[in-house]
């Protein structure tokens, strides 16, 4: 079975962020944040030009991963190993 990049990024984000809390102690705050960013990004891309519409899955995957390096112990090299093509597209 082929795993869609959006699904792969979501699973990686859930695993990476775990049960992180925000400054108030609210559980799962980080994963809720990236999920909201992904939802808004998907809505924006769907209304955008054909480039955005044709790359919605990639845009959502990036939204899920946008805080991984900043808010987890994941290293850039590890992220590049797991998402090599996607990271290359961002450079």
């Amino acid at each position: 079975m082929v795993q869609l990049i959006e699904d792969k990024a979501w699973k990686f984000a859930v695993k990476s962020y775990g049960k992180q809390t925000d400054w108030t102690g609210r559980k799962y705050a980080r994963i809720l944040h990236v999920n909201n960013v992904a939802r808004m990004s998907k809505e924006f891309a769907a209304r955008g030009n054909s480039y955005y519409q044709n790359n919605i899955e990639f845009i959502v995957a990036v939204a899920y991963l946008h805080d991984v390096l900043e808010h987890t112990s994941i290293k850039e090299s590890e992220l590049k190993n797991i998402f090599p093509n996607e990271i290359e597209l961002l450079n």
Side-chain angles (χ1 to χ4, degrees):
M1 180 174 100
V2 176
Q3 186 177 22
L4 299 175
I5 186 61
E6 183 179 338
D7 295 336
K8 182 178 176 182
W10 169 250
K11 289 175 183 173
F12 185 81
V14 168
K15 181 179 174 186
S16 299
Y17 298 122
K19 297 178 182 178
Q20 285 186 11
T21 60
D22 64 10
W23 62 276
T24 67
R26 185 177 60 158
K27 290 182 180 178
Y28 306 104
R30 181 62 47 198
I31 199 63
L32 292 173
H33 163 69
V34 297
N35 192 45
N36 286 334
V37 171
R39 181 184 47 77
M40 290 185 295
S41 298
K42 191 173 199 172
E43 291 171 5
F44 172 80
R47 292 191 309 262
N49 64 31
S50 62
Y51 173 81
Y52 293 111
Q53 292 174 0
N54 293 333
N55 290 287
I56 287 177
E57 185 178 320
F58 176 73
I59 291 166
V60 171
V62 169
Y64 286 140
L65 300 173
H66 81 273
D67 275 343
V68 168
L69 296 178
E70 183 178 354
H71 294 287
T72 72
S73 61
I74 303 296
K75 303 291 182 220
E76 184 177 355
S77 59
E78 184 178 354
L79 196 60
K80 284 181 178 180
N81 283 336
I82 297 169
F83 299 95
N85 298 328
E86 295 75 21
I87 301 298
E88 185 61 33
L89 287 172
L90 294 174
N91 290 326

